[in-house]
Amino acid sequence: MVDWSGGNDRGPTPKKDAIWVCAARDGVTDAPIYLRNRQLAEKWIRAFLAEEVDAGHRVLAGFDFAFGYPDGFGKALTGSDDPFAVWDWFAQRVKDAPDANNRFDLAGEINAMFPGIGPFWGNGRRHDIPHLPRKGSAREGHGLPEKRAAEAQAKGAFPVWQLAGAGAVGSQVIMGLPVLARLRAEFRDALRVWPFEPLDASIAIVEIWPSLIAKAVTATMPEGQIKDAHQVALLAQTLSRLPATQLAAMLDIPYTAEGSILGLGHVSLLEETAMAPAAPRPLKNDCFAMPQGAHWTPVDDALEHLRSQLRPVTGIENLPIAQVAGRFLAGDVEAARAHPPAPNAAVDGYGFAGPAAEGMQRMPLITGRAAAGAPFSGAVPEGRAIRILTGANLPEGVDTVILQEDVTATPSEIAFQGPLKKGANARKAGEDMVAGQTILTSGRRLSPADLGTMAAAGIGSVAVRQCLRVGVLSTGDELQDPGMPADAGQIYDANRPMLSALIKHWDYTLVDLGRAPDDQTKLRAVLDQRAADCDVILSSGGASAGDEDHISTLLEGTGSFALWRIAVKPGRPLALGLWNNTPVFGLPGNPVAAMVCALIFARPALRVLAGGGWTEPQSYQLPAAFSKSKKAGRREYLRARITDGEVEIFTSEGSGRISGLSWATGLVALNDPAQNIKPGDPVTYIPFYSFEP
């Protein structure tokens, strides 16, 4: 989506009433891009379309200016009712440079072709222009309708005749149609224009009006965001979310030489789509089905299966960058401006045109100085210097800075010992980031440093995944809440507080599902009532194939059940399935096995479901401080900690000894083959802090 401008170059700093472009795919937007003039915008759009066509993609490209004029204008101007004849007429006559164009003069020349006064008005120049009145009320007798049918239907839309003043769109049309004419010529075989042509090619060019979704723009715009940037991002996101049938209905209108605005008659649908959280696609019903094969599944095979089958289940929202720490990016982020935006000084000192020769150098000082936020507006003559402070833009004529500590200065001159190479102590524009550069990629978990990077690149808000809601459920008649009286046949529920704390540590939203007894009817009721509150559920207990393993039994009835017998110690059974499209991970009831399986299997799976990429925990090779003989056939994880640079393991490998988790600072992973470990042998140690989200 493109928010166009009929004015001159707007400078390097992103501004309103400028050109803004934003692309979206499947409801995920890239960062809006600021383009300071039409020349840069046309170059960017041409390159974008070429890249998408080469990739075999289809593109709906919307421009927010009229593609045609009211009935009768084209015939009078070109002798034809073909709207493309009007495009070509303007393309041949518009003269456009970053700092000047001839739109007002051209409008006056067109007015001279019509009887009376008009139809164009709004002379934005200081001097009078023949045949172009400054006020619309001065027009008369030109014989053309005031509005197209589209403007008459779109409440609040301005007519195409007004060239200057609040709400004027006429200049955008005159300066935009030549660009479309050139794009149409360049992409002749791949581009079609709506509603003038059948949309049977890779690129569909359509007319848009972001104010159709003005309510949604106002309701969702982050504080401090530039409206033009936000509205193209929101409209791009909205249109890319629409099902094909709904978009086709919007495009299905009769041919009209006046052109039309996409979405007229469908405003309610657009507003609802713009305001609604992005709905993720549900997981496939067989996503957990392990391929037929060995009775016991190796750990690496189980992990690879999760990695290949899972995808994000969270929605998407646009938030100010101040609110997105810890969230996962829903799309790539591109720099809105260069950083630094202009060449600047890296130190306090004096600036001049380098290099400086060897030996004593003397330079006269000019009056004034350059400081950060207070640039010097003039030029520095060759052979002279200017006082400059750290972060200040280099004035014209300056490319080198010498440290103030290396200078002897008087009010009128500086002296220093050379040589000094050209460009010393000066930063180049964009040496860190350039506008349009991808600076962060989709799926990244945003850190405080990332927020600083985005802020420096002019990014005010980004599309992120909504926070993953993780339900934690314990099952078993034998369980009692900690702190409550318990008889000899009961044990305290250690899993739920342990797993709940783990979920909160991973920065997901905890949904405490409580405890459920060994009763299928009651357990079913809990799942039915609470599954909609969760994006994923972690249950513990009842995940094997015994009489009281009700999680497995219930999941088996969904048609999505998979009981994974994993060759791992501690652990083995994992029950997986979907309950009303919500994925359920049935962890072992033993606390040590539950924790290990949560770290090894649930942690990377939850990250993917939350919208992040699959990650492996960081491990280290360290010498063993223990002896162990391990049988072949399964992966073993031992509770361990480091003492004097060596890895020792907990005295008991019993999976019921939960205190070993508090004693340990990590795990030792012993691979599937048989091993005979002696003190000093290298072993793989995974610290608990490596199991981050």
PDB file of all heavy atoms in Angstrom, residues 220-239:
ATOM      1  N   THR A 220      -6.336   2.166  16.633  1.00  0.00           N
ATOM      2  CA  THR A 220      -5.165   1.290  16.764  1.00  0.00           C
ATOM      3  C   THR A 220      -3.836   2.017  16.666  1.00  0.00           C
ATOM      4  O   THR A 220      -2.792   1.393  16.843  1.00  0.00           O
ATOM      5  CB  THR A 220      -5.188   0.199  15.671  1.00  0.00           C
ATOM      6  OG1 THR A 220      -5.134   0.819  14.367  1.00  0.00           O
ATOM      7  CG2 THR A 220      -6.450  -0.648  15.776  1.00  0.00           C
ATOM      8  N   MET A 221      -3.844   3.330  16.381  1.00  0.00           N
ATOM      9  CA  MET A 221      -2.583   4.021  16.133  1.00  0.00           C
ATOM     10  C   MET A 221      -1.790   4.191  17.424  1.00  0.00           C
ATOM     11  O   MET A 221      -2.280   4.779  18.390  1.00  0.00           O
ATOM     12  CB  MET A 221      -2.830   5.383  15.492  1.00  0.00           C
ATOM     13  CG  MET A 221      -1.534   6.063  15.051  1.00  0.00           C
ATOM     14  SD  MET A 221      -1.803   7.431  13.908  1.00  0.00           S
ATOM     15  CE  MET A 221      -2.704   8.571  14.950  1.00  0.00           C
ATOM     16  N   PRO A 222      -0.565   3.689  17.468  1.00  0.00           N
ATOM     17  CA  PRO A 222       0.267   3.845  18.667  1.00  0.00           C
ATOM     18  C   PRO A 222       0.615   5.312  18.895  1.00  0.00           C
ATOM     19  O   PRO A 222       0.700   6.115  17.956  1.00  0.00           O
ATOM     20  CB  PRO A 222       1.527   3.033  18.334  1.00  0.00           C
ATOM     21  CG  PRO A 222       1.134   2.142  17.195  1.00  0.00           C
ATOM     22  CD  PRO A 222       0.095   2.896  16.434  1.00  0.00           C
ATOM     23  N   GLU A 223       0.828   5.647  20.147  1.00  0.00           N
ATOM     24  CA  GLU A 223       1.204   7.011  20.486  1.00  0.00           C
ATOM     25  C   GLU A 223       2.541   7.362  19.844  1.00  0.00           C
ATOM     26  O   GLU A 223       3.489   6.586  19.878  1.00  0.00           O
ATOM     27  CB  GLU A 223       1.297   7.153  22.011  1.00  0.00           C
ATOM     28  CG  GLU A 223       1.600   8.564  22.477  1.00  0.00           C
ATOM     29  CD  GLU A 223       1.622   8.663  23.994  1.00  0.00           C
ATOM     30  OE1 GLU A 223       1.284   7.651  24.647  1.00  0.00           O
ATOM     31  OE2 GLU A 223       1.977   9.731  24.508  1.00  0.00           O
ATOM     32  N   GLY A 224       2.590   8.532  19.225  1.00  0.00           N
ATOM     33  CA  GLY A 224       3.818   8.991  18.593  1.00  0.00           C
ATOM     34  C   GLY A 224       4.020   8.519  17.169  1.00  0.00           C
ATOM     35  O   GLY A 224       4.973   8.931  16.508  1.00  0.00           O
ATOM     36  N   GLN A 225       3.143   7.644  16.663  1.00  0.00           N
ATOM     37  CA  GLN A 225       3.277   7.139  15.295  1.00  0.00           C
ATOM     38  C   GLN A 225       2.781   8.180  14.302  1.00  0.00           C
ATOM     39  O   GLN A 225       1.842   8.940  14.578  1.00  0.00           O
ATOM     40  CB  GLN A 225       2.468   5.846  15.137  1.00  0.00           C
ATOM     41  CG  GLN A 225       2.399   5.292  13.717  1.00  0.00           C
ATOM     42  CD  GLN A 225       3.724   4.694  13.275  1.00  0.00           C
ATOM     43  OE1 GLN A 225       4.697   5.431  13.108  1.00  0.00           O
ATOM     44  NE2 GLN A 225       3.752   3.401  13.076  1.00  0.00           N
ATOM     45  N   ILE A 226       3.402   8.255  13.144  1.00  0.00           N
ATOM     46  CA  ILE A 226       2.932   9.126  12.068  1.00  0.00           C
ATOM     47  C   ILE A 226       1.728   8.466  11.410  1.00  0.00           C
ATOM     48  O   ILE A 226       1.784   7.299  11.022  1.00  0.00           O
ATOM     49  CB  ILE A 226       4.062   9.373  11.048  1.00  0.00           C
ATOM     50  CG1 ILE A 226       5.190  10.179  11.710  1.00  0.00           C
ATOM     51  CG2 ILE A 226       3.539  10.108   9.820  1.00  0.00           C
ATOM     52  CD1 ILE A 226       6.405  10.371  10.833  1.00  0.00           C
ATOM     53  N   LYS A 227       0.638   9.217  11.311  1.00  0.00           N
ATOM     54  CA  LYS A 227      -0.624   8.644  10.833  1.00  0.00           C
ATOM     55  C   LYS A 227      -0.470   8.023   9.451  1.00  0.00           C
ATOM     56  O   LYS A 227      -0.994   6.930   9.188  1.00  0.00           O
ATOM     57  CB  LYS A 227      -1.714   9.713  10.821  1.00  0.00           C
ATOM     58  CG  LYS A 227      -3.069   9.190  10.351  1.00  0.00           C
ATOM     59  CD  LYS A 227      -4.116  10.290  10.357  1.00  0.00           C
ATOM     60  CE  LYS A 227      -5.454   9.770   9.837  1.00  0.00           C
ATOM     61  NZ  LYS A 227      -6.478  10.835   9.807  1.00  0.00           N
ATOM     62  N   ASP A 228       0.192   8.711   8.532  1.00  0.00           N
ATOM     63  CA  ASP A 228       0.347   8.184   7.172  1.00  0.00           C
ATOM     64  C   ASP A 228       1.025   6.816   7.188  1.00  0.00           C
ATOM     65  O   ASP A 228       0.660   5.916   6.428  1.00  0.00           O
ATOM     66  CB  ASP A 228       1.172   9.149   6.308  1.00  0.00           C
ATOM     67  CG  ASP A 228       0.468  10.474   6.082  1.00  0.00           C
ATOM     68  OD1 ASP A 228      -0.733  10.561   6.403  1.00  0.00           O
ATOM     69  OD2 ASP A 228       1.107  11.422   5.610  1.00  0.00           O
ATOM     70  N   ALA A 229       2.019   6.661   8.060  1.00  0.00           N
ATOM     71  CA  ALA A 229       2.732   5.385   8.151  1.00  0.00           C
ATOM     72  C   ALA A 229       1.826   4.298   8.717  1.00  0.00           C
ATOM     73  O   ALA A 229       1.797   3.165   8.219  1.00  0.00           O
ATOM     74  CB  ALA A 229       3.978   5.547   9.024  1.00  0.00           C
ATOM     75  N   HIS A 230       1.088   4.658   9.752  1.00  0.00           N
ATOM     76  CA  HIS A 230       0.233   3.649  10.392  1.00  0.00           C
ATOM     77  C   HIS A 230      -0.903   3.210   9.482  1.00  0.00           C
ATOM     78  O   HIS A 230      -1.235   2.019   9.415  1.00  0.00           O
ATOM     79  CB  HIS A 230      -0.328   4.203  11.701  1.00  0.00           C
ATOM     80  CG  HIS A 230      -1.247   3.243  12.400  1.00  0.00           C
ATOM     81  ND1 HIS A 230      -0.837   2.004  12.839  1.00  0.00           N
ATOM     82  CD2 HIS A 230      -2.575   3.330  12.707  1.00  0.00           C
ATOM     83  CE1 HIS A 230      -1.854   1.378  13.400  1.00  0.00           C
ATOM     84  NE2 HIS A 230      -2.913   2.156  13.332  1.00  0.00           N
ATOM     85  N   GLN A 231      -1.496   4.162   8.763  1.00  0.00           N
ATOM     86  CA  GLN A 231      -2.679   3.778   7.992  1.00  0.00           C
ATOM     87  C   GLN A 231      -2.335   2.900   6.784  1.00  0.00           C
ATOM     88  O   GLN A 231      -3.112   2.006   6.429  1.00  0.00           O
ATOM     89  CB  GLN A 231      -3.476   5.008   7.569  1.00  0.00           C
ATOM     90  CG  GLN A 231      -2.828   5.935   6.585  1.00  0.00           C
ATOM     91  CD  GLN A 231      -3.671   7.190   6.346  1.00  0.00           C
ATOM     92  OE1 GLN A 231      -4.639   7.443   7.065  1.00  0.00           O
ATOM     93  NE2 GLN A 231      -3.314   7.977   5.351  1.00  0.00           N
ATOM     94  N   VAL A 232      -1.166   3.099   6.155  1.00  0.00           N
ATOM     95  CA  VAL A 232      -0.816   2.183   5.059  1.00  0.00           C
ATOM     96  C   VAL A 232      -0.472   0.800   5.606  1.00  0.00           C
ATOM     97  O   VAL A 232      -0.780  -0.216   4.984  1.00  0.00           O
ATOM     98  CB  VAL A 232       0.337   2.716   4.176  1.00  0.00           C
ATOM     99  CG1 VAL A 232      -0.097   3.895   3.354  1.00  0.00           C
ATOM    100  CG2 VAL A 232       1.575   3.041   4.984  1.00  0.00           C
ATOM    101  N   ALA A 233       0.150   0.766   6.800  1.00  0.00           N
ATOM    102  CA  ALA A 233       0.455  -0.532   7.410  1.00  0.00           C
ATOM    103  C   ALA A 233      -0.831  -1.263   7.774  1.00  0.00           C
ATOM    104  O   ALA A 233      -0.974  -2.465   7.521  1.00  0.00           O
ATOM    105  CB  ALA A 233       1.332  -0.335   8.645  1.00  0.00           C
ATOM    106  N   LEU A 234      -1.783  -0.541   8.359  1.00  0.00           N
ATOM    107  CA  LEU A 234      -3.031  -1.184   8.774  1.00  0.00           C
ATOM    108  C   LEU A 234      -3.849  -1.628   7.570  1.00  0.00           C
ATOM    109  O   LEU A 234      -4.433  -2.722   7.578  1.00  0.00           O
ATOM    110  CB  LEU A 234      -3.842  -0.223   9.644  1.00  0.00           C
ATOM    111  CG  LEU A 234      -5.102  -0.811  10.271  1.00  0.00           C
ATOM    112  CD1 LEU A 234      -4.763  -1.973  11.197  1.00  0.00           C
ATOM    113  CD2 LEU A 234      -5.875   0.264  11.042  1.00  0.00           C
ATOM    114  N   LEU A 235      -3.894  -0.818   6.520  1.00  0.00           N
ATOM    115  CA  LEU A 235      -4.665  -1.204   5.340  1.00  0.00           C
ATOM    116  C   LEU A 235      -4.009  -2.387   4.634  1.00  0.00           C
ATOM    117  O   LEU A 235      -4.702  -3.310   4.169  1.00  0.00           O
ATOM    118  CB  LEU A 235      -4.799  -0.020   4.382  1.00  0.00           C
ATOM    119  CG  LEU A 235      -5.719  -0.247   3.178  1.00  0.00           C
ATOM    120  CD1 LEU A 235      -7.113  -0.673   3.613  1.00  0.00           C
ATOM    121  CD2 LEU A 235      -5.800   1.015   2.321  1.00  0.00           C
ATOM    122  N   ALA A 236      -2.679  -2.390   4.557  1.00  0.00           N
ATOM    123  CA  ALA A 236      -1.986  -3.534   3.951  1.00  0.00           C
ATOM    124  C   ALA A 236      -2.258  -4.803   4.750  1.00  0.00           C
ATOM    125  O   ALA A 236      -2.553  -5.866   4.188  1.00  0.00           O
ATOM    126  CB  ALA A 236      -0.481  -3.257   3.883  1.00  0.00           C
ATOM    127  N   GLN A 237      -2.170  -4.694   6.060  1.00  0.00           N
ATOM    128  CA  GLN A 237      -2.436  -5.845   6.918  1.00  0.00           C
ATOM    129  C   GLN A 237      -3.871  -6.332   6.742  1.00  0.00           C
ATOM    130  O   GLN A 237      -4.133  -7.533   6.620  1.00  0.00           O
ATOM    131  CB  GLN A 237      -2.186  -5.469   8.375  1.00  0.00           C
ATOM    132  CG  GLN A 237      -2.436  -6.596   9.371  1.00  0.00           C
ATOM    133  CD  GLN A 237      -2.377  -6.095  10.793  1.00  0.00           C
ATOM    134  OE1 GLN A 237      -3.221  -5.319  11.229  1.00  0.00           O
ATOM    135  NE2 GLN A 237      -1.357  -6.528  11.520  1.00  0.00           N
ATOM    136  N   THR A 238      -4.812  -5.386   6.696  1.00  0.00           N
ATOM    137  CA  THR A 238      -6.230  -5.729   6.592  1.00  0.00           C
ATOM    138  C   THR A 238      -6.532  -6.453   5.292  1.00  0.00           C
ATOM    139  O   THR A 238      -7.179  -7.515   5.273  1.00  0.00           O
ATOM    140  CB  THR A 238      -7.084  -4.457   6.704  1.00  0.00           C
ATOM    141  OG1 THR A 238      -6.849  -3.842   7.976  1.00  0.00           O
ATOM    142  CG2 THR A 238      -8.566  -4.775   6.565  1.00  0.00           C
ATOM    143  N   LEU A 239      -6.085  -5.906   4.177  1.00  0.00           N
ATOM    144  CA  LEU A 239      -6.375  -6.528   2.884  1.00  0.00           C
ATOM    145  C   LEU A 239      -5.693  -7.882   2.753  1.00  0.00           C
ATOM    146  O   LEU A 239      -6.244  -8.807   2.150  1.00  0.00           O
ATOM    147  CB  LEU A 239      -5.945  -5.599   1.753  1.00  0.00           C
ATOM    148  CG  LEU A 239      -6.781  -4.323   1.599  1.00  0.00           C
ATOM    149  CD1 LEU A 239      -6.162  -3.384   0.564  1.00  0.00           C
ATOM    150  CD2 LEU A 239      -8.217  -4.647   1.210  1.00  0.00           C
TER     151      LEU A 239
END
